[in-house]
Amino acid sequence: MKISQLSIFLENKEGRLWNALDALANGGGVNIRALSLADTSDFGILRIIVHDPEKAKKILEKNDFIVKIIDVVGVELDDTPGGLANVLKLLNENNINLEYIYAFTHEKTEKAILLLQSKDLDILINVLENNNVNIVPSKEVYNL
């Protein structure tokens, strides 16, 4: 149920994002399934989902990037107005605080996948399951 995500520390310098993505593409043919970038004036955190997180981590570290693999949870939601709000309302009602989220669409018509990170993923999963939210298995995300 948990999906491995790479979190990559990027100095806020010209070309660093390209360097990381180029290393993945040309250093091992790693395809990115989902991506999020958050930055400050000095650095950024690039979060990506790839089909082979361990391979991608090795490639990035070989190219002098600081990388962590952490787990996130993916849920399928309606890609319509209110789809995201419905999931967030459920989490709010159950006192689940999210550290961050990002989403992407896939080939299923009118569906999106929302990636969630919370302090306690097991509690998050329990709330989602108890409320019949469709949790996306990692292999489905990796093989889109």
Side-chain angles (χ1 to χ4, degrees):
M1 289 202 187
K2 296 176 184 174
I3 299 166
S4 294
Q5 168 197 271
L6 294 167
S7 294
I8 305 142
F9 177 82
L10 297 176
E11 298 153 315
N12 200 351
K13 293 182 181 176
E14 187 175 325
R16 281 306 272 171
L17 176 60
W18 174 79
N19 292 141
L21 299 182
D22 185 61
L24 291 172
N26 294 314
V30 175
N31 192 23
I32 297 170
R33 303 296 184 201
L35 175 148
S36 173
L37 178 63
D39 70 336
T40 68
S41 59
D42 297 325
F43 66 92
I45 302 293
L46 173 63
R47 295 179 174 105
I48 59 174
I49 304 294
V50 298
H51 67 281
D52 189 341
E54 291 295 336
K55 176 181 177 181
K57 183 176 190 278
K58 287 177 186 173
I59 291 168
L60 290 165
E61 288 176 339
K62 182 179 174 185
N63 285 273
D64 300 319
F65 289 94
I66 298 169
V67 183
K68 289 175 105 175
I69 296 178
I70 65 164
D71 289 331
V72 295
V73 174
V75 298
E76 188 175 75
L77 54 92
D78 292 332
D79 187 17
T80 58
L84 175 58
N86 291 335
V87 173
L88 295 179
K89 178 182 179 194
L90 168 68
L91 298 179
N92 185 58
E93 291 172 347
N94 286 275
N95 299 313
I96 301 292
N97 186 36
L98 296 174
E99 294 183 11
Y100 58 84
I101 64 172
Y102 56 107
F104 63 101
T105 59
H106 59 108
E107 72 272 359
K108 290 185 180 179
T109 305
E110 299 182 11
K111 295 291 181 184
I113 294 177
L114 178 65
L115 299 169
L116 309 162
Q117 175 39 243
S118 182
K119 186 181 273 186
D120 191 327
L121 290 182
D122 293 327
I123 292 173
L124 173 62
I125 290 168
N126 187 43
V127 166
L128 294 169
E129 287 179 333
N130 288 339
N131 288 277
N132 299 314
V133 175
N134 186 22
I135 299 174
V136 180
S138 59
K139 67 180 180 177
E140 184 175 329
V141 174
Y142 299 149
N143 294 318
L144 289 176

